[in-house]
Amino acid sequence: MTGIVYWLDMAGVIVFALSGVILACRSRMDPFGMLVLAAVTGIGGGTLRDLVLGGRPVFWVSDPTYLWVILGTVGLSILGFHYIHRLSRVFLSVADAFGLALFTVIGTHEALLLEAPGVVAVLMGLLTGVAGGMVRDVLARRVPMVLRQEIYATASIAGGVTYVMLEALGSPVAMTIALALGVTLCLRLAAIYWRLTLPVFAWVVIPPSPGRGHPQGEPPDRPPPTARPKVRVRLIRPGQSKRKSRPRS
């Protein structure tokens, strides 16, 4: 199973590096910018995971193959630049979803190998899955996916919890990896396809009620006072406007 985990980790690096290359192309970066975005996306999350867990060198320091894989991915992408440029915008989200699923499982697996508690293992899976993409989006001047309404971190947490629970129940490693991958990937792809989002708290503007007349004792020749809209903090569901209209009587 060590070989399977290693090749899954390598596949996650390739997929995430490719997503960094695609975003760099859309941001009109030069080849060095493409390399930087591919590198931080491919190995950024795992680097932070190893630094937090400690006890050993960072994985790409012990095995520089990861760096050569990123360099090869960027080189092939430059040669096939015209094909990458034609990819739809959905491809970036789908590639990011596969990388998220792979890195979530790898991060959780590595934390459990170091005998970390279950909750720590889930957080390490989340860190491995989302940290590289966050740095990539910040460098490209975009709001990171994990900070939007999209179901992104939630899918990673669900996959990590699935892995920890199956590991505690003594399930075979292959089944544990497959099910955790499937949970994370299905949740993320379903959110992309059906545009599923989480509700958010936001300031809601409530317009004043219409037809407000003069207060009692006020001369009728004066114009009625202008009512100010009220502002409240409400839970906004997906697709709901932040301006709430009053129901008609």
Side-chain angles (χ1 to χ4, degrees):
M1 293 306 303
T2 304
I4 295 178
V5 172
Y6 178 79
W7 287 111
L8 286 176
D9 195 12
M10 199 66 70
V13 170
I14 294 174
V15 172
F16 257 0
L18 184 60
S19 69
V21 169
I22 295 173
L23 187 56
C25 291
R26 291 181 180 158
S27 301
R28 296 186 177 183
M29 295 186 180
D30 59 9
F32 181 75
M34 295 171 63
L35 181 60
V36 170
L37 253 63
V40 298
T41 313
I43 61 177
T47 301
L48 292 177
R49 175 201 65 212
D50 289 350
L51 291 176
V52 171
L53 292 176
R56 64 173 187 177
V58 179
F59 67 100
W60 53 267
V61 174
S62 303
D63 186 4
T65 307
Y66 291 93
L67 302 179
W68 289 111
V69 167
I70 293 174
L71 188 61
T73 303
V74 174
L76 293 175
S77 301
I78 293 176
L79 294 177
F81 171 76
H82 294 288
Y83 298 100
I84 291 179
H85 188 70
R86 296 175 183 176
L87 294 174
S88 63
R89 294 185 177 272
V90 180
F91 184 83
L92 176 60
S93 300
V94 173
D96 191 86
F98 277 92
L100 176 68
L102 290 169
F103 275 5
T104 296
V105 171
I106 296 300
T108 308
H109 175 80
E110 294 292 335
L112 292 178
L113 284 181
L114 296 177
E115 299 181 355
V119 62
V120 176
V122 173
L123 290 178
M124 290 301 102
L126 176 64
L127 180 65
T128 309
V130 307
M134 287 183 65
V135 178
R136 174 200 65 199
D137 291 342
V138 170
L139 292 177
R141 294 186 298 180
R142 299 196 338 166
V143 178
M145 292 184 182
V146 69
L147 301 181
R148 304 178 197 170
Q149 293 176 260
E150 300 182 14
I151 298 178
Y152 192 82
T154 308
S156 178
I157 294 174
V161 170
T162 302
Y163 191 98
V164 171
M165 291 179 60
L166 293 176
E167 180 73 17
L169 294 175
S171 300
V173 181
M175 181 185 299
T176 302
I177 292 176
L179 290 178
L181 279 173
V183 169
T184 307
L185 191 59
C186 288
L187 282 177
R188 182 65 190 131
L189 291 180
I192 294 173
Y193 184 79
W194 284 294
R195 297 181 180 179
L196 303 177
T197 58
L198 297 175
V200 296
F201 287 96
W203 291 99
V204 177
V205 180
I206 304 176
S209 56
R212 183 176 177 180
H214 292 80
Q216 188 175 4
E218 188 78 15
D221 55 344
R222 292 185 180 181
T226 303
R228 296 181 179 180
K230 298 180 180 179
V231 179
R232 297 289 187 270
V233 177
R234 297 287 174 85
L235 188 65
I236 303 297
R237 296 187 298 273
Q240 183 180 356
S241 174
K242 294 183 180 180
R243 179 175 293 274
K244 184 176 180 181
S245 60
R246 291 185 175 273
R248 296 180 180 179
S249 57

